[in-house]
Amino acid sequence: MSTPDIAPTSSEIRKRGLKMLGGGGVVFAALLFLMYRLSAHGYKFHFAVIGASLPFVLCCVGFIELVTGSPYLLLGQRWMALRGWQRGLLGTFIVLAALVLIILGVTFFVMLFT
């Protein structure tokens, strides 16, 4: 006897995204702290630190699911369903909006602490 496939609700997806964001953030911060402590004691990293990027990716996917309330794979399918010019236009807007937010955030902290 098989159970019927029930699509998760938006709130369930957001909860899953929050768990992924929190878990990935904690592991990423722990890895950065460990690498900082090791480098402070003279250990030199002679390789690309790929292990620290995996929790960061989990954190980013969790953030996307938390904000949108939609599964990451479904968003990827919807993105690929767009025409090329639509992806280019929307992608350019996303990058420029992120750049503006970063500049505003840095300006805020510089003005706050000076």
Side-chain angles (χ1 to χ4, degrees):
M1 182 172 185
S2 65
T3 60
D5 292 333
I6 300 174
T9 63
S10 178
S11 64
E12 291 172 342
I13 294 169
R14 289 181 195 274
K15 287 179 188 175
R16 182 180 69 190
L18 182 61
K19 290 177 187 175
M20 289 171 40
L21 177 67
V26 167
V27 172
F28 183 66
L31 286 173
L32 286 181
F33 178 74
L34 177 66
M35 290 187 322
Y36 172 74
R37 294 292 293 171
L38 288 174
S39 65
H41 287 84
Y43 183 80
K44 304 249 187 261
F45 293 97
H46 299 290
F47 56 90
V49 185
I50 297 173
S53 64
L54 296 177
F56 181 71
V57 169
L58 184 68
C59 191
C60 290
V61 169
F63 177 75
I64 290 171
E65 286 191 356
L66 177 67
V67 169
T68 63
S70 181
Y72 184 74
L73 289 176
L74 182 61
L75 287 174
Q77 291 171 351
R78 289 179 181 168
W79 179 263
M80 292 309 293
L82 293 173
R83 293 182 167 204
W85 70 269
Q86 292 170 325
R87 286 193 306 253
L89 190 65
L90 188 57
T92 302
F93 172 74
I94 291 170
V95 168
L96 290 176
L99 183 62
V100 166
L101 288 175
I102 290 170
I103 290 172
L104 289 175
V106 168
T107 304
F108 174 75
F109 281 110
V110 166
M111 294 189 69
L112 186 67
F113 294 114
T114 57

